Amino acid sequence: MVSPESVQSVEIARAESPRGEVVLRRRASGTGADVLELRVNGVFVMDTLETTSEIELAAQALDLVEEPAAVLVGGLGLGFTLQRVLADPRVERAVVVEIEEALVQWMRDGTVPHGPALLADTRATVVNADIAMAIAEARSTYDLVLLDVDNGPGYLVHQHNEAVYEEEFLRRCRDVLGPGGVLVVWSANPAPELLASLRTVFGDAEEQAHDVLLQDRPEEYFLYLARR
């Protein structure tokens, strides 16, 4: 991702965690509307203008399951993956696991303006936890598990998330899927090692390349999917 460094922005929220520093900044867009920008450990992660990848890839994932009644999302971010999941009338329950407590709080208290309405949806439950721990302790099964952690194994904001792409964790994801359930991991870069690990765990897996536009800039993202 390319951060719009040339545009002046102001900090509106900051938090520290064992994994480092989470900062929310505001800047003006070319249309005059405010844009919120999320940085973790000084790295530009996403903003409320560049949402195409989250929305389009969530839509693609939902289309892989005939009845995605129960969906687990790894990573809240600024809420756009969850927003697209809840836009699907087939979804009856969506659980989002977010490790950074500050992101959950900023969504709840309106620091992120669309956050309170989004989290007020009765189908949505947000859990402040490590996704690896949440998957290991899960007592429910899901039709679809979406992993939107950092931006793929080639784009880690902090090394803590390396485990999300390893075979042990992928096996846990497989175990919480119901029959025919699908695991989807997306990445900003090709991830052949992830594809190989998915094939080892699930017996088969697929890589899909998708073109998205970020501020009218063409980018290619990759979906890695496996079905139980």
Side-chain angles (χ1 to χ4, degrees):
M1 285 187 176
V2 178
S3 173
E5 300 287 357
S6 60
V7 180
Q8 185 175 10
S9 61
V10 295
E11 182 179 306
I12 60 172
R14 174 187 295 265
E16 298 284 343
S17 80
R19 291 156 301 281
E21 181 181 74
V22 184
V23 175
L24 197 62
R25 303 184 68 85
R26 180 189 292 118
R27 71 177 193 275
S29 70
T31 63
D34 284 345
V35 176
L36 295 184
E37 174 184 307
L38 177 63
R39 290 175 177 265
V40 179
N41 294 333
V43 178
F44 175 81
V45 176
M46 67 174 299
D47 64 25
T48 52
L49 187 63
E50 294 192 348
T51 61
T52 309
S53 61
E54 287 85 3
I55 293 171
E56 289 193 8
L57 295 175
Q60 294 285 346
L62 287 160
D63 284 344
L64 296 170
V65 184
E66 184 176 349
E67 291 295 335
V71 180
L72 176 65
V73 181
L76 176 61
L78 296 178
F80 293 100
T81 299
L82 174 61
Q83 187 177 64
R84 180 60 186 86
V85 167
L86 293 175
D88 192 316
R90 299 172 298 167
V91 174
E92 299 173 3
R93 179 168 63 100
V95 177
V96 184
V97 180
E98 172 56 58
I99 195 170
E100 296 295 352
E101 183 178 6
L103 289 179
V104 179
Q105 179 61 32
W106 297 339
M107 291 288 288
R108 290 196 188 282
D109 67 15
T111 303
V112 179
H114 63 265
L118 181 64
L119 299 190
D121 192 305
T122 57
R123 296 171 295 164
T125 301
V126 179
V127 179
N128 175 215
D130 183 339
I131 183 64
M133 185 68 69
I135 289 283
E137 296 178 352
R139 296 295 179 265
S140 300
T141 58
Y142 296 88
D143 305 300
L144 180 62
V145 174
L146 301 176
L147 294 183
D148 183 16
V149 178
D150 289 345
N151 215 356
Y155 188 87
L156 293 176
V157 172
H158 44 71
Q159 297 307 112
H160 175 85
N161 289 331
E162 281 184 338
V164 172
Y165 305 102
E166 296 175 353
E167 287 184 16
E168 180 180 356
F169 176 73
L170 298 176
R171 287 191 187 93
R172 292 174 178 172
C173 290
R174 178 198 61 195
D175 292 343
V176 302
L177 289 170
V182 175
L183 168 66
V184 178
V185 186
W186 47 74
S187 175
N189 300 295
E193 292 183 0
L194 172 60
L195 181 61
S197 294
L198 285 167
R199 286 174 172 164
T200 297
V201 171
F202 284 84
D204 194 17
E206 180 183 346
E207 175 190 82
Q208 295 181 358
H210 294 277
D211 295 325
V212 298
L213 288 176
L214 299 178
Q215 295 194 66
D216 298 324
R217 184 181 72 252
E219 296 280 357
E220 189 173 48
Y221 274 66
F222 298 85
L223 273 181
Y224 292 91
L225 57 102
R227 189 180 300 272
R228 181 169 186 183

